[in-house]
Structure formats: C-alpha cells, structure tokens
Amino acid sequence: PARLDKLQADVDITTKMLLRHRGLTPDSQMFLIEGTHENRWLKYLQDKAPAISKLRGVSIPALYSLSDLGVEYVSFERGILVNKTFLVLHGDIASKHSAATARLHYEKNGGSGMCNHTHRLGSFFHRSRFGTFGWWENGCLCRLDPDWIINPNWQHGFSVVTFEDTGRFFVEQIPIVNNRFIYGGKLY
C-alpha cells in the first residue's frame, strides 16, 4: 500500500535491470517467470478493470518491453525445463521451514529443480534406485522489511546452477549475510 504511487518507478527500475542484464549477457537466453506479484497484477485488472485488462499495453511483457529485450515470458506454473533434467519455476507451495518447500516441490513434481516463491534458501535431496534428485529454494534479493509483513523468515541469497553437456548439473547456493557473500573463494 505504501508504494501505490511508485508503481511506474518500479516498472522502470525493473526494465532498466533487464536491459542491464541483456547488455551483460547479449547472447544468453533470458526468461522472466511469472510469479505471485505478476499474477496479482493480472488478477487485479481482471477483477477491478476487466476492459483494461484486455489492452496489450498492460500485460507484464508489454510493461517491461520483454520482446524488445529478447526476454521470454513464462506463465506462472509452466516453468522452464533445462536440459530435460532441471525444472525452474516460481512455485505455488510454501512451508514455514527452510527446505520443507523444496521437499514439497519434489513430492509434487519429482525430478530435480528450483522454486523461488518462499524467499528462503534451502535444499532437499532424495536418492532412489533411479538416481539422486534435489530441489532448491532460491532465496531473494528483495528488502527484508516489507510494509505488509513484520519480520518475515526470508534470506538474502541466490543460486548458481552449472550445467554439463551430459545433462548433469551442480547447484551452489550463495547466502548473502549483512550485504556480503563469498563466491569462488572471494568475499564480495
């Protein structure tokens, strides 16, 4: 509620971030996976302004100029299956404990993957006769003091996923504590 008058500024900041990412990785495939906030925007328009919701200019891809940036918009739960082995999605399940959401996504989807909904870091592993599987919760880069919840159980952090040509992958979770993190042996 405190940010209602800053909606256009938020859209502009996100567009600039995507433009910066495109400039840093000009040949990469880029995706924006719809999450609860984007979904909330569409639901609000459909409920409160159904005629406006049908205009092309109010869709998330149009607001962020995704086609101009070469960014593919992925709907809420479709996700992205990388190398036929690793599913990346926003997620529609949340548990109050770190890694429990990752376990629930394993139980729902099977295989291996990463969900982003909880704003927490966590990992879950399962080994069977078919192999070793893992699911990860990805952490967040947002403020930890939003105006709509007091002291949320969120952690700053991100994940680096390295894929081999064989389809094998390796996930490194990088927690950010007090605005600092270590990656590749270097403190940032």
Side-chain angles (χ1 to χ4, degrees):
R3 300 193 54 78
L4 288 176
D5 61 334
K6 296 176 176 55
L7 188 56
Q8 185 61 55
D10 287 349
V11 168
D12 293 344
I13 287 168
T14 301
T15 304
K16 286 178 186 173
M17 178 196 70
L18 292 169
L19 184 61
R20 183 184 73 226
H21 289 6
R22 175 50 71 210
L24 292 169
T25 59
D27 299 323
S28 67
Q29 274 186 291
M30 290 179 61
F31 301 90
L32 188 130
I33 300 174
E34 180 181 275
T36 50
H37 295 263
E38 292 82 12
N39 190 266
R40 192 177 303 142
W41 168 251
L42 299 173
K43 184 168 176 24
Y44 173 83
L45 287 175
Q46 289 167 352
D47 291 349
K48 305 290 185 190
I52 292 173
S53 74
K54 304 301 181 203
L55 295 173
R56 285 186 299 274
V58 298
S59 70
I60 297 296
L63 285 171
Y64 295 124
S65 305
L66 296 184
S67 63
D68 294 343
L69 296 169
V71 177
E72 182 180 338
Y73 189 67
V74 179
S75 63
F76 191 70
E77 280 309 307
R78 188 185 105 204
I80 303 163
L81 186 61
V82 181
N83 290 346
K84 300 180 182 176
T85 59
F86 193 85
L87 180 62
V88 180
L89 47 76
H90 179 270
D92 62 348
I93 303 171
S95 174
K96 67 180 182 176
H97 299 292
S98 177
T101 298
R103 179 183 61 83
L104 292 170
H105 276 285
Y106 169 77
E107 291 173 357
K108 176 181 179 181
N109 299 291
S112 295
M114 180 172 293
C115 56
N116 300 288
H117 179 62
T118 63
H119 297 210
R120 278 193 295 273
L121 292 166
S123 59
F124 170 81
F125 295 90
H126 178 82
R127 183 180 171 276
S128 70
R129 68 179 67 210
F130 300 106
T132 300
F133 303 94
W135 268 85
W136 290 264
E137 296 172 52
N138 195 33
C140 68
L141 299 175
C142 63
R143 293 178 56 135
L144 299 179
D145 62 345
D147 60 0
W148 53 273
I149 188 172
I150 297 172
N151 197 32
N153 179 18
W154 299 346
Q155 293 91 46
H156 279 153
F158 59 95
S159 300
V160 176
V161 186
T162 303
F163 293 92
E164 293 183 330
D165 291 338
T166 62
R168 180 71 187 114
F169 58 86
F170 300 90
V171 178
E172 299 174 81
Q173 290 200 301
I174 315 298
I176 302 170
V177 180
N178 296 327
N179 297 318
R180 300 171 72 179
F181 65 92
I182 294 177
Y183 179 68
K186 184 177 176 184
L187 178 66
Y188 293 89

